[in-house]
Amino acid sequence: MIRPALLAVSHGTADVDGARAIAGLVERVARALPDVAVHGAFVDVQQPDAASALADIDGPVVIVPLLLSSGFHVHHDLHGVAAARTDAVVADPMGPDPLLADVLATRLDGLDRDGAPVILAVAGSRDERSVPDAEGMASLLRERIDRPVELAYLAARRPDLPTALEGTPDAVVATYLLARGYFFDLAARLSGEHALTPPLLDDLLDDDGIPSALVDLVIGRYLAADSPLS
């Protein structure tokens, strides 16, 4: 039996390095699933868009959001395009998940600031469904590193990052973003002199730029959503 295709859908970015890192993740997933047709698409900025990519795939499809929380893009955009087909399902977004906490912990280790409190910098969304996911990720990271972790938003919600840093002047900033792009650049500006981790995907790093944990996470989301189609 032919297994459902995997359509990995990220937000999209105009940042060349960020786009390359996300493409690298999709490529790594494809290599790890040689019996699955793996495709990439986007909800904004880049092409193909999710609807066009889905239309080009024959047979059952699992749409895996390369997005870190629930929100408008997952519930409106992706579930919207999947609703027109009986052979398409949408997997859970990537976060929150302990594997993401592992990657964040590795990024923090690279700063060599043991014991410093952490501000988890999240993009932010006006969609209320994103809030429990962000809070859940902060909780998972807190458990993983056994250090104080506070949540801050780069847009749409409070506290914003400058406010959080003002209240914790010795903090380091853990970037809870998939790859380089607008929000990473914003986080870098707002962090000022505070140490800032690279994003979860960053192939500019010498080691572990595309962590195996993220490949495993995407595959896990695919397999969990695959069974209704099999």
Side-chain angles (χ1 to χ4, degrees):
M1 179 180 294
I2 297 176
R3 298 182 67 181
L6 190 165
L7 179 60
V9 184
S10 61
H11 182 276
T13 176
D15 186 283
V16 173
D17 296 322
R20 186 181 62 248
I22 292 170
L25 173 62
V26 176
E27 181 182 345
R28 288 272 303 275
V29 170
R31 291 206 304 264
L33 294 173
D35 58 340
V36 175
V38 177
H39 309 265
F42 309 92
V43 294
D44 200 1
V45 184
Q46 294 177 255
Q47 293 295 322
D49 62 75
S52 299
L54 182 61
D56 288 339
I57 300 173
D58 294 326
V61 185
V62 175
I63 301 171
V64 179
L66 302 186
L67 302 166
L68 297 177
S69 66
S70 299
F72 183 84
H73 288 310
V74 172
H75 292 284
H76 180 272
D77 293 338
L78 300 187
H79 281 277
V81 299
R85 290 179 55 160
T86 59
D87 60 351
V89 296
V90 180
D92 290 337
M94 297 178 73
D97 194 276
L99 288 173
L100 294 174
D102 290 343
V103 178
L104 288 167
T106 299
R107 296 286 185 254
L108 286 164
D109 287 343
L111 296 181
D112 195 24
R113 303 288 181 91
D114 292 344
V118 175
I119 304 296
L120 184 65
V122 179
S125 170
R126 292 185 177 85
D127 193 313
E128 294 285 347
R129 290 168 290 196
S130 69
V131 174
D133 288 349
E135 292 174 344
M137 195 64 240
S139 178
L140 286 170
L141 181 59
R142 200 174 293 121
E143 294 170 8
R144 174 64 176 76
I145 64 175
D146 194 25
R147 289 158 64 179
V149 176
E150 300 300 328
L151 190 62
Y153 294 94
L154 297 169
R157 297 197 171 277
R158 300 287 182 180
D160 59 22
L161 182 56
T163 300
L165 289 172
E166 184 178 325
T168 318
D170 57 340
V172 298
V173 180
T175 307
Y176 188 48
L177 301 168
L178 190 59
R180 292 177 181 269
Y182 170 79
F183 279 112
F184 180 76
D185 292 343
L186 178 61
R189 290 197 302 272
L190 296 178
S191 294
E193 296 182 358
H194 292 266
L196 173 75
T197 66
L200 296 166
L201 287 172
D202 190 2
D203 66 357
L204 296 181
L205 299 175
D206 291 336
D207 297 312
D208 210 25
I210 301 178
S212 296
L214 296 189
V215 178
D216 293 342
L217 179 55
V218 174
I219 292 173
R221 293 290 189 261
Y222 167 80
L223 294 175
D226 176 13
S227 54
L229 297 174
S230 299

